[in-house]
Amino acid sequence: MSHFSTIKTQLKESKPLIKALNQLGYVINQEEKFVKGYKGQFTAVDISMDLPSNTKVGFKWDNNSNSYELVTDLDLWKFELPVERFISKVTQMYAYHTIISKTEEDGYQIVEQKNKNDGSIELVLTKWDS
Amino acid sequence: MPQRTLRFKILQDGRVQETVEGFEGSSCNNATKKIEEALGEVRVKNKTAEAFISNQSEKQKSFKNESNVTF
């Protein structure tokens, strides 16, 4: 049987998330695992980063959604990308790295990869069944 | 020796459209289960035309019951 699925991506694993952040050029600061917000309040996070324009963001594991969630103080957001675009970019790159690593484990090889005009990434992977 | 193909379109907002080709029976579900588990919530799952060709006897049933499953 063959099938077609649509998946709403959630940030479920740290390894592809960190790879995605690195690839997008964001520098992870693992010495300070917190995000400092307005009035000096601190929120503990699992992955923290300093974005350009002195914007602090982090990702914190959430037991309810079983995924990482973004932590930032929106009042202090000065980064050039709006926060929605930032999270979309991270999620897209997370999906890319997750697909690459999971399919590689199963012996698939990339035969085609295209960045499309609509901003999507197309990937084709194949494996010969023995 | 069939060639198995996975096609992904990763949209700008992070949603993933996945098409799986060249699998017999339910093996294609196993092939992508790991990916789907690591990515998140499967919203829509459709069997493609090829699924019906490889499983003629269940054609009608599959079409009625499973052609448009939303999780």
Side-chain angles (χ1 to χ4, degrees):
Chain A
M1 163 181 85
S2 296
H3 70 239
F4 176 81
S5 305
T6 304
I7 305 163
K8 185 177 180 293
T9 304
Q10 292 175 303
L11 307 172
K12 285 177 163 289
E13 293 182 7
S14 63
K15 216 171 145 187
L17 177 57
I18 288 168
K19 272 191 183 169
L21 296 169
N22 285 334
Q23 195 182 344
L24 291 166
Y26 304 133
V27 181
I28 294 168
N29 178 355
Q30 282 302 58
E31 283 168 24
E32 292 181 6
K33 288 195 174 183
F34 58 84
V35 173
K36 193 177 167 186
Y38 183 64
K39 287 184 180 171
Q41 288 164 325
F42 291 90
T43 304
V45 293
D46 299 295
I47 298 166
S48 75
M49 290 182 299
D50 298 307
L51 296 179
S53 308
N54 203 19
T55 300
K56 286 220 90 165
V57 297
F59 289 90
K60 185 181 169 66
W61 180 257
D62 180 70
N63 279 327
N64 292 324
S65 64
N66 250 330
S67 61
Y68 287 94
E69 294 194 336
L70 182 76
V71 176
T72 191
D73 189 328
L74 289 175
D75 290 336
L76 300 178
W77 186 273
K78 296 192 204 80
F79 186 43
E80 57 183 6
L81 281 182
V83 66
E84 296 81 11
R85 276 294 299 135
F86 170 76
I87 191 78
S88 292
K89 273 180 88 164
V90 172
T91 308
Q92 186 187 35
M93 215 36 89
Y94 170 86
Y96 172 82
H97 283 291
T98 301
I99 291 167
I100 297 288
S101 75
K102 299 290 172 192
T103 51
E104 200 175 48
E105 282 170 18
D106 282 346
Y108 284 88
Q109 288 187 323
I110 302 173
V111 288
E112 205 178 302
Q113 179 176 333
K114 278 187 201 157
N115 291 315
K116 307 294 279 187
N117 285 337
D118 63 4
S120 67
I121 303 168
E122 280 187 3
L123 265 179
V124 183
L125 302 112
T126 60
K127 173 167 96 164
W128 289 96
D129 196 31
S130 48
Chain B
M1 210 169 64
Q3 187 186 27
R4 301 183 167 188
T5 304
L6 308 176
R7 293 177 193 276
F8 296 95
K9 186 176 174 79
I10 313 168
L11 304 179
Q12 213 177 12
D13 64 4
R15 275 178 301 143
V16 176
Q17 294 170 348
E18 165 197 85
T19 312
V20 176
E21 297 161 11
F23 290 83
E24 284 174 19
S26 60
S27 61
C28 76
N29 279 331
N30 299 332
T32 55
K33 205 174 159 217
K34 259 206 291 190
I35 300 164
E36 288 164 5
E37 275 171 1
L39 281 183
E41 192 184 343
V42 178
R43 283 297 177 83
V44 186
K45 196 162 196 161
N46 290 315
K47 288 185 179 180
T48 61
E50 195 186 328
F52 303 129
I53 295 164
S54 63
N55 206 347
Q56 286 286 347
S57 61
E58 286 189 43
K59 188 177 173 182
Q60 286 303 323
K61 203 174 105 194
S62 302
F63 189 75
K64 274 183 199 156
N65 295 339
E66 297 176 55
S67 64
N68 200 348
V69 182
T70 303
F71 291 88

PDB file of all heavy atoms in Angstrom, chain B residues 3-38:
ATOM      1  N   GLN B   3      11.874  -0.663  -6.073  1.00  0.00           N
ATOM      2  CA  GLN B   3      12.479   0.543  -5.533  1.00  0.00           C
ATOM      3  C   GLN B   3      11.437   1.257  -4.680  1.00  0.00           C
ATOM      4  O   GLN B   3      10.301   1.418  -5.099  1.00  0.00           O
ATOM      5  CB  GLN B   3      12.922   1.461  -6.660  1.00  0.00           C
ATOM      6  CG  GLN B   3      13.708   2.650  -6.145  1.00  0.00           C
ATOM      7  CD  GLN B   3      14.034   3.644  -7.235  1.00  0.00           C
ATOM      8  OE1 GLN B   3      13.328   3.761  -8.221  1.00  0.00           O
ATOM      9  NE2 GLN B   3      15.121   4.355  -7.045  1.00  0.00           N
ATOM     10  N   ARG B   4      11.842   1.607  -3.501  1.00  0.00           N
ATOM     11  CA  ARG B   4      10.906   2.298  -2.607  1.00  0.00           C
ATOM     12  C   ARG B   4      11.239   3.777  -2.571  1.00  0.00           C
ATOM     13  O   ARG B   4      12.384   4.154  -2.435  1.00  0.00           O
ATOM     14  CB  ARG B   4      10.994   1.691  -1.220  1.00  0.00           C
ATOM     15  CG  ARG B   4      10.648   0.225  -1.320  1.00  0.00           C
ATOM     16  CD  ARG B   4      10.611  -0.495  -0.050  1.00  0.00           C
ATOM     17  NE  ARG B   4       9.959  -1.782  -0.283  1.00  0.00           N
ATOM     18  CZ  ARG B   4       9.622  -2.615   0.656  1.00  0.00           C
ATOM     19  NH1 ARG B   4       9.870  -2.321   1.910  1.00  0.00           N
ATOM     20  NH2 ARG B   4       9.031  -3.748   0.370  1.00  0.00           N
ATOM     21  N   THR B   5      10.220   4.570  -2.676  1.00  0.00           N
ATOM     22  CA  THR B   5      10.433   6.010  -2.780  1.00  0.00           C
ATOM     23  C   THR B   5       9.615   6.761  -1.738  1.00  0.00           C
ATOM     24  O   THR B   5       8.440   6.471  -1.540  1.00  0.00           O
ATOM     25  CB  THR B   5      10.031   6.507  -4.192  1.00  0.00           C
ATOM     26  OG1 THR B   5      10.772   5.762  -5.152  1.00  0.00           O
ATOM     27  CG2 THR B   5      10.335   7.977  -4.373  1.00  0.00           C
ATOM     28  N   LEU B   6      10.283   7.676  -1.067  1.00  0.00           N
ATOM     29  CA  LEU B   6       9.605   8.572  -0.132  1.00  0.00           C
ATOM     30  C   LEU B   6       9.742   9.991  -0.678  1.00  0.00           C
ATOM     31  O   LEU B   6      10.842  10.411  -1.024  1.00  0.00           O
ATOM     32  CB  LEU B   6      10.255   8.520   1.265  1.00  0.00           C
ATOM     33  CG  LEU B   6      10.467   7.160   1.923  1.00  0.00           C
ATOM     34  CD1 LEU B   6      11.218   7.346   3.242  1.00  0.00           C
ATOM     35  CD2 LEU B   6       9.135   6.474   2.173  1.00  0.00           C
ATOM     36  N   ARG B   7       8.639  10.681  -0.802  1.00  0.00           N
ATOM     37  CA  ARG B   7       8.668  12.076  -1.258  1.00  0.00           C
ATOM     38  C   ARG B   7       8.146  12.970  -0.151  1.00  0.00           C
ATOM     39  O   ARG B   7       7.102  12.696   0.435  1.00  0.00           O
ATOM     40  CB  ARG B   7       7.762  12.270  -2.476  1.00  0.00           C
ATOM     41  CG  ARG B   7       8.250  11.566  -3.700  1.00  0.00           C
ATOM     42  CD  ARG B   7       7.271  11.731  -4.855  1.00  0.00           C
ATOM     43  NE  ARG B   7       7.619  10.803  -5.904  1.00  0.00           N
ATOM     44  CZ  ARG B   7       8.542  11.046  -6.833  1.00  0.00           C
ATOM     45  NH1 ARG B   7       9.162  12.207  -6.853  1.00  0.00           N
ATOM     46  NH2 ARG B   7       8.837  10.137  -7.733  1.00  0.00           N
ATOM     47  N   PHE B   8       8.901  14.032   0.114  1.00  0.00           N
ATOM     48  CA  PHE B   8       8.477  14.975   1.153  1.00  0.00           C
ATOM     49  C   PHE B   8       8.439  16.381   0.585  1.00  0.00           C
ATOM     50  O   PHE B   8       9.319  16.766  -0.182  1.00  0.00           O
ATOM     51  CB  PHE B   8       9.466  14.979   2.324  1.00  0.00           C
ATOM     52  CG  PHE B   8       9.535  13.665   3.042  1.00  0.00           C
ATOM     53  CD1 PHE B   8      10.508  12.732   2.709  1.00  0.00           C
ATOM     54  CD2 PHE B   8       8.623  13.361   4.043  1.00  0.00           C
ATOM     55  CE1 PHE B   8      10.572  11.511   3.369  1.00  0.00           C
ATOM     56  CE2 PHE B   8       8.695  12.151   4.713  1.00  0.00           C
ATOM     57  CZ  PHE B   8       9.668  11.225   4.373  1.00  0.00           C
ATOM     58  N   LYS B   9       7.418  17.108   0.976  1.00  0.00           N
ATOM     59  CA  LYS B   9       7.403  18.544   0.721  1.00  0.00           C
ATOM     60  C   LYS B   9       7.290  19.201   2.091  1.00  0.00           C
ATOM     61  O   LYS B   9       6.293  19.019   2.794  1.00  0.00           O
ATOM     62  CB  LYS B   9       6.222  18.910  -0.175  1.00  0.00           C
ATOM     63  CG  LYS B   9       6.204  20.357  -0.623  1.00  0.00           C
ATOM     64  CD  LYS B   9       5.045  20.583  -1.592  1.00  0.00           C
ATOM     65  CE  LYS B   9       4.870  22.040  -1.962  1.00  0.00           C
ATOM     66  NZ  LYS B   9       5.830  22.508  -2.971  1.00  0.00           N
ATOM     67  N   ILE B  10       8.355  19.905   2.481  1.00  0.00           N
ATOM     68  CA  ILE B  10       8.370  20.553   3.793  1.00  0.00           C
ATOM     69  C   ILE B  10       7.990  22.012   3.569  1.00  0.00           C
ATOM     70  O   ILE B  10       8.753  22.777   2.989  1.00  0.00           O
ATOM     71  CB  ILE B  10       9.758  20.455   4.459  1.00  0.00           C
ATOM     72  CG1 ILE B  10      10.299  19.012   4.372  1.00  0.00           C
ATOM     73  CG2 ILE B  10       9.695  20.910   5.908  1.00  0.00           C
ATOM     74  CD1 ILE B  10      11.768  18.892   4.746  1.00  0.00           C
ATOM     75  N   LEU B  11       6.797  22.367   3.991  1.00  0.00           N
ATOM     76  CA  LEU B  11       6.286  23.708   3.729  1.00  0.00           C
ATOM     77  C   LEU B  11       6.987  24.741   4.601  1.00  0.00           C
ATOM     78  O   LEU B  11       7.623  24.413   5.610  1.00  0.00           O
ATOM     79  CB  LEU B  11       4.768  23.744   3.970  1.00  0.00           C
ATOM     80  CG  LEU B  11       3.956  22.734   3.163  1.00  0.00           C
ATOM     81  CD1 LEU B  11       2.481  22.838   3.508  1.00  0.00           C
ATOM     82  CD2 LEU B  11       4.155  22.950   1.663  1.00  0.00           C
ATOM     83  N   GLN B  12       6.840  25.985   4.188  1.00  0.00           N
ATOM     84  CA  GLN B  12       7.522  27.080   4.883  1.00  0.00           C
ATOM     85  C   GLN B  12       7.127  27.178   6.353  1.00  0.00           C
ATOM     86  O   GLN B  12       7.901  27.631   7.184  1.00  0.00           O
ATOM     87  CB  GLN B  12       7.171  28.390   4.164  1.00  0.00           C
ATOM     88  CG  GLN B  12       8.287  29.382   4.191  1.00  0.00           C
ATOM     89  CD  GLN B  12       7.951  30.633   3.413  1.00  0.00           C
ATOM     90  OE1 GLN B  12       6.816  30.868   3.022  1.00  0.00           O
ATOM     91  NE2 GLN B  12       8.952  31.451   3.190  1.00  0.00           N
ATOM     92  N   ASP B  13       5.900  26.753   6.669  1.00  0.00           N
ATOM     93  CA  ASP B  13       5.459  26.837   8.064  1.00  0.00           C
ATOM     94  C   ASP B  13       5.789  25.571   8.855  1.00  0.00           C
ATOM     95  O   ASP B  13       5.391  25.445  10.010  1.00  0.00           O
ATOM     96  CB  ASP B  13       3.963  27.141   8.143  1.00  0.00           C
ATOM     97  CG  ASP B  13       3.105  26.017   7.557  1.00  0.00           C
ATOM     98  OD1 ASP B  13       3.672  24.975   7.166  1.00  0.00           O
ATOM     99  OD2 ASP B  13       1.881  26.180   7.496  1.00  0.00           O
ATOM    100  N   GLY B  14       6.500  24.632   8.213  1.00  0.00           N
ATOM    101  CA  GLY B  14       6.939  23.442   8.927  1.00  0.00           C
ATOM    102  C   GLY B  14       6.059  22.220   8.742  1.00  0.00           C
ATOM    103  O   GLY B  14       6.414  21.124   9.138  1.00  0.00           O
ATOM    104  N   ARG B  15       4.880  22.389   8.110  1.00  0.00           N
ATOM    105  CA  ARG B  15       4.052  21.209   7.852  1.00  0.00           C
ATOM    106  C   ARG B  15       4.723  20.339   6.796  1.00  0.00           C
ATOM    107  O   ARG B  15       5.431  20.848   5.923  1.00  0.00           O
ATOM    108  CB  ARG B  15       2.662  21.617   7.354  1.00  0.00           C
ATOM    109  CG  ARG B  15       1.679  21.941   8.475  1.00  0.00           C
ATOM    110  CD  ARG B  15       0.347  22.371   7.911  1.00  0.00           C
ATOM    111  NE  ARG B  15       0.508  23.534   7.072  1.00  0.00           N
ATOM    112  CZ  ARG B  15      -0.174  23.759   5.947  1.00  0.00           C
ATOM    113  NH1 ARG B  15      -1.069  22.901   5.530  1.00  0.00           N
ATOM    114  NH2 ARG B  15       0.040  24.845   5.230  1.00  0.00           N
ATOM    115  N   VAL B  16       4.499  19.052   6.884  1.00  0.00           N
ATOM    116  CA  VAL B  16       5.159  18.122   5.966  1.00  0.00           C
ATOM    117  C   VAL B  16       4.111  17.320   5.207  1.00  0.00           C
ATOM    118  O   VAL B  16       3.201  16.743   5.804  1.00  0.00           O
ATOM    119  CB  VAL B  16       6.073  17.142   6.742  1.00  0.00           C
ATOM    120  CG1 VAL B  16       6.683  16.114   5.798  1.00  0.00           C
ATOM    121  CG2 VAL B  16       7.176  17.905   7.464  1.00  0.00           C
ATOM    122  N   GLN B  17       4.243  17.309   3.884  1.00  0.00           N
ATOM    123  CA  GLN B  17       3.412  16.431   3.062  1.00  0.00           C
ATOM    124  C   GLN B  17       4.297  15.279   2.622  1.00  0.00           C
ATOM    125  O   GLN B  17       5.388  15.492   2.115  1.00  0.00           O
ATOM    126  CB  GLN B  17       2.874  17.188   1.847  1.00  0.00           C
ATOM    127  CG  GLN B  17       1.902  18.286   2.243  1.00  0.00           C
ATOM    128  CD  GLN B  17       1.549  19.209   1.086  1.00  0.00           C
ATOM    129  OE1 GLN B  17       2.186  19.184   0.044  1.00  0.00           O
ATOM    130  NE2 GLN B  17       0.533  20.022   1.285  1.00  0.00           N
ATOM    131  N   GLU B  18       3.802  14.079   2.822  1.00  0.00           N
ATOM    132  CA  GLU B  18       4.631  12.893   2.599  1.00  0.00           C
ATOM    133  C   GLU B  18       3.901  11.953   1.640  1.00  0.00           C
ATOM    134  O   GLU B  18       2.720  11.684   1.826  1.00  0.00           O
ATOM    135  CB  GLU B  18       4.819  12.251   3.964  1.00  0.00           C
ATOM    136  CG  GLU B  18       5.337  10.853   3.992  1.00  0.00           C
ATOM    137  CD  GLU B  18       5.056  10.237   5.350  1.00  0.00           C
ATOM    138  OE1 GLU B  18       3.943   9.709   5.556  1.00  0.00           O
ATOM    139  OE2 GLU B  18       5.934  10.303   6.202  1.00  0.00           O
ATOM    140  N   THR B  19       4.602  11.475   0.644  1.00  0.00           N
ATOM    141  CA  THR B  19       4.019  10.483  -0.259  1.00  0.00           C
ATOM    142  C   THR B  19       4.946   9.280  -0.298  1.00  0.00           C
ATOM    143  O   THR B  19       6.157   9.426  -0.422  1.00  0.00           O
ATOM    144  CB  THR B  19       3.863  11.047  -1.693  1.00  0.00           C
ATOM    145  OG1 THR B  19       3.248  12.312  -1.618  1.00  0.00           O
ATOM    146  CG2 THR B  19       3.018  10.126  -2.542  1.00  0.00           C
ATOM    147  N   VAL B  20       4.367   8.115  -0.144  1.00  0.00           N
ATOM    148  CA  VAL B  20       5.149   6.889  -0.053  1.00  0.00           C
ATOM    149  C   VAL B  20       4.767   5.992  -1.226  1.00  0.00           C
ATOM    150  O   VAL B  20       3.582   5.761  -1.455  1.00  0.00           O
ATOM    151  CB  VAL B  20       4.836   6.203   1.289  1.00  0.00           C
ATOM    152  CG1 VAL B  20       5.540   4.880   1.399  1.00  0.00           C
ATOM    153  CG2 VAL B  20       5.224   7.103   2.445  1.00  0.00           C
ATOM    154  N   GLU B  21       5.770   5.524  -1.977  1.00  0.00           N
ATOM    155  CA  GLU B  21       5.496   4.714  -3.166  1.00  0.00           C
ATOM    156  C   GLU B  21       6.313   3.431  -3.160  1.00  0.00           C
ATOM    157  O   GLU B  21       7.429   3.403  -2.654  1.00  0.00           O
ATOM    158  CB  GLU B  21       5.882   5.503  -4.440  1.00  0.00           C
ATOM    159  CG  GLU B  21       5.081   6.759  -4.647  1.00  0.00           C
ATOM    160  CD  GLU B  21       5.768   7.734  -5.612  1.00  0.00           C
ATOM    161  OE1 GLU B  21       6.749   7.335  -6.266  1.00  0.00           O
ATOM    162  OE2 GLU B  21       5.327   8.887  -5.671  1.00  0.00           O
ATOM    163  N   GLY B  22       5.742   2.408  -3.767  1.00  0.00           N
ATOM    164  CA  GLY B  22       6.493   1.177  -4.013  1.00  0.00           C
ATOM    165  C   GLY B  22       6.440   0.155  -2.900  1.00  0.00           C
ATOM    166  O   GLY B  22       7.259  -0.757  -2.842  1.00  0.00           O
ATOM    167  N   PHE B  23       5.464   0.284  -2.014  1.00  0.00           N
ATOM    168  CA  PHE B  23       5.358  -0.667  -0.916  1.00  0.00           C
ATOM    169  C   PHE B  23       4.155  -1.592  -1.118  1.00  0.00           C
ATOM    170  O   PHE B  23       3.152  -1.184  -1.687  1.00  0.00           O
ATOM    171  CB  PHE B  23       5.190   0.070   0.417  1.00  0.00           C
ATOM    172  CG  PHE B  23       6.431   0.784   0.843  1.00  0.00           C
ATOM    173  CD1 PHE B  23       6.712   2.043   0.335  1.00  0.00           C
ATOM    174  CD2 PHE B  23       7.320   0.201   1.728  1.00  0.00           C
ATOM    175  CE1 PHE B  23       7.865   2.709   0.710  1.00  0.00           C
ATOM    176  CE2 PHE B  23       8.473   0.875   2.103  1.00  0.00           C
ATOM    177  CZ  PHE B  23       8.742   2.124   1.594  1.00  0.00           C
ATOM    178  N   GLU B  24       4.294  -2.813  -0.641  1.00  0.00           N
ATOM    179  CA  GLU B  24       3.162  -3.737  -0.718  1.00  0.00           C
ATOM    180  C   GLU B  24       2.526  -3.880   0.655  1.00  0.00           C
ATOM    181  O   GLU B  24       3.210  -3.829   1.669  1.00  0.00           O
ATOM    182  CB  GLU B  24       3.643  -5.107  -1.197  1.00  0.00           C
ATOM    183  CG  GLU B  24       3.922  -5.118  -2.688  1.00  0.00           C
ATOM    184  CD  GLU B  24       4.536  -6.428  -3.123  1.00  0.00           C
ATOM    185  OE1 GLU B  24       4.407  -7.427  -2.372  1.00  0.00           O
ATOM    186  OE2 GLU B  24       5.145  -6.450  -4.192  1.00  0.00           O
ATOM    187  N   GLY B  25       1.224  -4.087   0.649  1.00  0.00           N
ATOM    188  CA  GLY B  25       0.504  -4.307   1.895  1.00  0.00           C
ATOM    189  C   GLY B  25       0.684  -3.159   2.855  1.00  0.00           C
ATOM    190  O   GLY B  25       0.700  -2.000   2.460  1.00  0.00           O
ATOM    191  N   SER B  26       0.865  -3.484   4.131  1.00  0.00           N
ATOM    192  CA  SER B  26       0.934  -2.415   5.125  1.00  0.00           C
ATOM    193  C   SER B  26       2.374  -1.998   5.413  1.00  0.00           C
ATOM    194  O   SER B  26       2.617  -1.235   6.328  1.00  0.00           O
ATOM    195  CB  SER B  26       0.258  -2.871   6.411  1.00  0.00           C
ATOM    196  OG  SER B  26       0.919  -4.010   6.888  1.00  0.00           O
ATOM    197  N   SER B  27       3.338  -2.516   4.633  1.00  0.00           N
ATOM    198  CA  SER B  27       4.739  -2.226   4.950  1.00  0.00           C
ATOM    199  C   SER B  27       5.065  -0.744   4.829  1.00  0.00           C
ATOM    200  O   SER B  27       6.007  -0.261   5.440  1.00  0.00           O
ATOM    201  CB  SER B  27       5.673  -3.040   4.062  1.00  0.00           C
ATOM    202  OG  SER B  27       5.471  -2.719   2.706  1.00  0.00           O
ATOM    203  N   CYS B  28       4.292  -0.024   4.040  1.00  0.00           N
ATOM    204  CA  CYS B  28       4.619   1.403   3.900  1.00  0.00           C
ATOM    205  C   CYS B  28       4.335   2.157   5.191  1.00  0.00           C
ATOM    206  O   CYS B  28       4.960   3.165   5.478  1.00  0.00           O
ATOM    207  CB  CYS B  28       3.882   2.040   2.729  1.00  0.00           C
ATOM    208  SG  CYS B  28       2.163   2.386   3.021  1.00  0.00           S
ATOM    209  N   ASN B  29       3.392   1.653   5.962  1.00  0.00           N
ATOM    210  CA  ASN B  29       3.130   2.312   7.234  1.00  0.00           C
ATOM    211  C   ASN B  29       4.311   2.157   8.179  1.00  0.00           C
ATOM    212  O   ASN B  29       4.662   3.076   8.900  1.00  0.00           O
ATOM    213  CB  ASN B  29       1.873   1.737   7.887  1.00  0.00           C
ATOM    214  CG  ASN B  29       0.618   2.352   7.289  1.00  0.00           C
ATOM    215  OD1 ASN B  29       0.653   3.487   6.848  1.00  0.00           O
ATOM    216  ND2 ASN B  29      -0.450   1.595   7.266  1.00  0.00           N
ATOM    217  N   ASN B  30       4.930   0.966   8.145  1.00  0.00           N
ATOM    218  CA  ASN B  30       6.109   0.757   8.979  1.00  0.00           C
ATOM    219  C   ASN B  30       7.253   1.663   8.541  1.00  0.00           C
ATOM    220  O   ASN B  30       8.012   2.165   9.354  1.00  0.00           O
ATOM    221  CB  ASN B  30       6.571  -0.702   8.898  1.00  0.00           C
ATOM    222  CG  ASN B  30       5.501  -1.642   9.399  1.00  0.00           C
ATOM    223  OD1 ASN B  30       4.697  -1.261  10.244  1.00  0.00           O
ATOM    224  ND2 ASN B  30       5.481  -2.859   8.880  1.00  0.00           N
ATOM    225  N   ALA B  31       7.354   1.847   7.226  1.00  0.00           N
ATOM    226  CA  ALA B  31       8.469   2.627   6.684  1.00  0.00           C
ATOM    227  C   ALA B  31       8.457   4.059   7.179  1.00  0.00           C
ATOM    228  O   ALA B  31       9.508   4.658   7.380  1.00  0.00           O
ATOM    229  CB  ALA B  31       8.414   2.614   5.156  1.00  0.00           C
ATOM    230  N   THR B  32       7.301   4.609   7.365  1.00  0.00           N
ATOM    231  CA  THR B  32       7.250   6.024   7.719  1.00  0.00           C
ATOM    232  C   THR B  32       6.810   6.266   9.155  1.00  0.00           C
ATOM    233  O   THR B  32       6.746   7.399   9.596  1.00  0.00           O
ATOM    234  CB  THR B  32       6.288   6.782   6.779  1.00  0.00           C
ATOM    235  OG1 THR B  32       5.018   6.122   6.825  1.00  0.00           O
ATOM    236  CG2 THR B  32       6.815   6.811   5.370  1.00  0.00           C
ATOM    237  N   LYS B  33       6.544   5.190   9.883  1.00  0.00           N
ATOM    238  CA  LYS B  33       6.069   5.334  11.256  1.00  0.00           C
ATOM    239  C   LYS B  33       7.061   6.132  12.115  1.00  0.00           C
ATOM    240  O   LYS B  33       6.687   7.039  12.843  1.00  0.00           O
ATOM    241  CB  LYS B  33       5.853   3.941  11.858  1.00  0.00           C
ATOM    242  CG  LYS B  33       4.837   3.930  12.969  1.00  0.00           C
ATOM    243  CD  LYS B  33       4.547   2.529  13.436  1.00  0.00           C
ATOM    244  CE  LYS B  33       3.971   2.608  14.833  1.00  0.00           C
ATOM    245  NZ  LYS B  33       4.401   1.520  15.689  1.00  0.00           N
ATOM    246  N   LYS B  34       8.349   5.766  11.977  1.00  0.00           N
ATOM    247  CA  LYS B  34       9.394   6.420  12.765  1.00  0.00           C
ATOM    248  C   LYS B  34       9.440   7.919  12.487  1.00  0.00           C
ATOM    249  O   LYS B  34       9.586   8.724  13.394  1.00  0.00           O
ATOM    250  CB  LYS B  34      10.762   5.827  12.383  1.00  0.00           C
ATOM    251  CG  LYS B  34      11.277   4.821  13.372  1.00  0.00           C
ATOM    252  CD  LYS B  34      12.784   4.720  13.367  1.00  0.00           C
ATOM    253  CE  LYS B  34      13.351   4.101  12.114  1.00  0.00           C
ATOM    254  NZ  LYS B  34      14.793   3.798  12.210  1.00  0.00           N
ATOM    255  N   ILE B  35       9.320   8.256  11.205  1.00  0.00           N
ATOM    256  CA  ILE B  35       9.382   9.670  10.820  1.00  0.00           C
ATOM    257  C   ILE B  35       8.175  10.407  11.377  1.00  0.00           C
ATOM    258  O   ILE B  35       8.298  11.491  11.946  1.00  0.00           O
ATOM    259  CB  ILE B  35       9.414   9.813   9.283  1.00  0.00           C
ATOM    260  CG1 ILE B  35      10.649   9.103   8.727  1.00  0.00           C
ATOM    261  CG2 ILE B  35       9.409  11.259   8.865  1.00  0.00           C
ATOM    262  CD1 ILE B  35      10.590   8.839   7.256  1.00  0.00           C
ATOM    263  N   GLU B  36       7.020   9.770  11.220  1.00  0.00           N
ATOM    264  CA  GLU B  36       5.803  10.425  11.698  1.00  0.00           C
ATOM    265  C   GLU B  36       5.828  10.607  13.219  1.00  0.00           C
ATOM    266  O   GLU B  36       5.387  11.627  13.744  1.00  0.00           O
ATOM    267  CB  GLU B  36       4.571   9.625  11.249  1.00  0.00           C
ATOM    268  CG  GLU B  36       4.341   9.773   9.741  1.00  0.00           C
ATOM    269  CD  GLU B  36       3.396   8.737   9.157  1.00  0.00           C
ATOM    270  OE1 GLU B  36       2.830   7.948   9.925  1.00  0.00           O
ATOM    271  OE2 GLU B  36       3.237   8.731   7.920  1.00  0.00           O
ATOM    272  N   GLU B  37       6.381   9.629  13.920  1.00  0.00           N
ATOM    273  CA  GLU B  37       6.465   9.738  15.380  1.00  0.00           C
ATOM    274  C   GLU B  37       7.381  10.879  15.802  1.00  0.00           C
ATOM    275  O   GLU B  37       7.119  11.572  16.779  1.00  0.00           O
ATOM    276  CB  GLU B  37       6.976   8.426  15.987  1.00  0.00           C
ATOM    277  CG  GLU B  37       5.860   7.431  16.203  1.00  0.00           C
ATOM    278  CD  GLU B  37       6.383   6.049  16.595  1.00  0.00           C
ATOM    279  OE1 GLU B  37       7.621   5.879  16.718  1.00  0.00           O
ATOM    280  OE2 GLU B  37       5.554   5.155  16.764  1.00  0.00           O
ATOM    281  N   ALA B  38       8.483  11.060  15.056  1.00  0.00           N
ATOM    282  CA  ALA B  38       9.441  12.103  15.420  1.00  0.00           C
ATOM    283  C   ALA B  38       8.967  13.484  14.996  1.00  0.00           C
ATOM    284  O   ALA B  38       9.412  14.486  15.538  1.00  0.00           O
ATOM    285  CB  ALA B  38      10.802  11.816  14.793  1.00  0.00           C
TER     286      ALA B  38
END
